Amino acid sequence: MKIVIQREKIAVMAALLLICFSATAQDFSLLRERMVRDQIEARGITHEPTLNAVRSVERHLFVPPERRNMAYDDGPLPIGHGQTISQPLIVAYMTELVNPEPHHTVLEIGTGSGYQAAILAEIVERVFTIEIIPELGNSARELIDDLGYENIEVKIADGYYGWEEHGPFDAIVVTAAAENIPPPLVRQLKDGGRMVIPVGSPFMVQTLMLVERRGDRVLTQSLMPVNFVPFTRGGR
Ligand code: SAH
């Protein structure tokens, strides 16, 4: 008799756990849908592949567990080591800006959590991403592997020099604010390629810039004021 009751108890507890777990998963997908609708589509992002990517990548997996409930909020979040995962709108905007296409190879500087790399990897053929803080790069690599992305490669290095052996790139996305546009990155852009990069000093408002290479000409365009963590140099 005792055993039967205990078995029932266990069954009830298991059922409750299952309900909690699926409720949480559903909450996250609901929050994600709302994020896309209210923060991203409502502010003018129309590029379908970008919208599909932000709809499908589980952003809550890219933030520290204690901040999961804020993963779909309208702002950046700390990810440790003084760094942040960018605001969802900024990630979507930067993705849309480089016109990613399925056959593209993209370079990202500043892997951080790996979220921007995952968004790009949903759209393009290959993503190369460089992170200067080894702990962040390694944990992003682990998560990316766990999630099954086979088209992302993470390197721990100073992204200033780009990743020459895999270039030139169709697009480059820089997610830390540099004082100047690094010349090696411009050289690694394909003809017709686009780079998006926040430029400016870390303690002032920076400007998001679009850099386009057209033959020997490099066109730059200032887009909007932004606030990114600094582009650091030289490794640690
Ligand atoms: N794209 C990230 C945002 C990370 S914040 C995401 O989706 O989560 C910017 C990142 O750039 C930080 O992790 C920081 O360590 C890294 N970074 C700063 N300077 C760098 C450099 N010179 N080379 C590579 N990464 C750099």
Side-chain angles (χ1 to χ4, degrees):
M1 189 59 181
K2 255 189 186 167
I3 293 170
V4 173
I5 290 169
Q6 280 200 339
R7 269 201 196 141
E8 276 174 355
K9 263 191 189 165
I10 291 168
V12 169
M13 273 168 58
L16 278 175
L17 268 174
L18 205 70
I19 289 167
C20 285
F21 181 76
S22 60
T24 318
Q26 273 179 0
D27 285 352
F28 282 134
S29 70
L30 204 69
L31 289 173
R32 194 159 55 250
E33 266 171 43
R34 270 195 216 141
M35 170 192 87
V36 176
R37 191 190 60 208
D38 301 343
Q39 301 172 31
I40 297 177
E41 281 183 301
R43 280 139 167 185
I45 304 293
T46 55
H47 185 243
E48 269 308 320
T50 300
L51 292 171
N52 288 337
V54 282
R55 258 184 217 120
S56 66
V57 177
E58 299 192 294
R59 183 171 160 97
H60 61 277
L61 302 179
F62 293 82
V63 306
E66 67 277 12
R67 299 198 192 266
R68 249 167 218 175
N69 58 340
M70 291 182 277
Y72 297 98
D73 289 359
D74 190 13
L77 284 174
I79 53 170
H81 305 275
Q83 307 305 319
T84 56
I85 177 173
S86 306
Q87 180 188 8
L89 173 66
I90 291 285
V91 175
Y93 184 48
M94 289 172 84
T95 307
E96 180 178 72
L97 274 172
V98 295
N99 286 342
E101 290 185 33
H103 63 278
H104 278 180
T105 298
V106 178
L107 174 68
E108 181 199 21
I109 310 299
T111 315
S113 67
Y115 179 69
Q116 172 79 73
I119 294 288
L120 289 164
E122 292 281 329
I123 305 171
V124 305
E125 194 168 294
R126 297 199 77 185
V127 177
F128 294 93
T129 179
I130 307 178
E131 171 56 53
I132 203 165
I133 300 179
E135 294 87 339
L136 284 178
N138 289 331
S139 57
R141 182 187 287 131
E142 219 169 275
L143 176 60
I144 281 164
D145 287 349
D146 283 352
L147 294 176
Y149 287 102
E150 287 177 359
N151 58 343
I152 304 178
E153 216 174 302
V154 183
K155 175 164 94 163
I156 314 288
D158 180 353
Y160 181 90
Y161 304 101
W163 200 335
E164 197 149 16
E165 56 274 41
H166 295 297
F169 300 96
D170 297 286
I172 301 180
V173 175
V174 183
T175 66
E179 304 254 351
N180 308 295
I181 300 170
L185 297 185
V186 178
R187 281 198 295 273
Q188 288 172 35
L189 257 190
K190 266 188 195 165
D191 191 6
R194 292 179 145 213
M195 164 160 61
V196 62
I197 176 170
V199 180
S201 120
F203 306 107
M204 292 168 70
V205 173
Q206 306 134 10
T207 306
L208 192 64
M209 301 203 63
L210 181 64
V211 179
E212 285 184 88
R213 193 186 170 107
R214 301 250 179 93
D216 288 339
R217 292 197 313 151
V218 177
L219 312 177
T220 59
Q221 204 182 323
S222 301
L223 299 169
M224 66 170 195
V226 284
N227 193 359
F228 275 81
V229 295
F231 192 101
T232 52
R233 296 296 320 278
R236 299 189 327 155

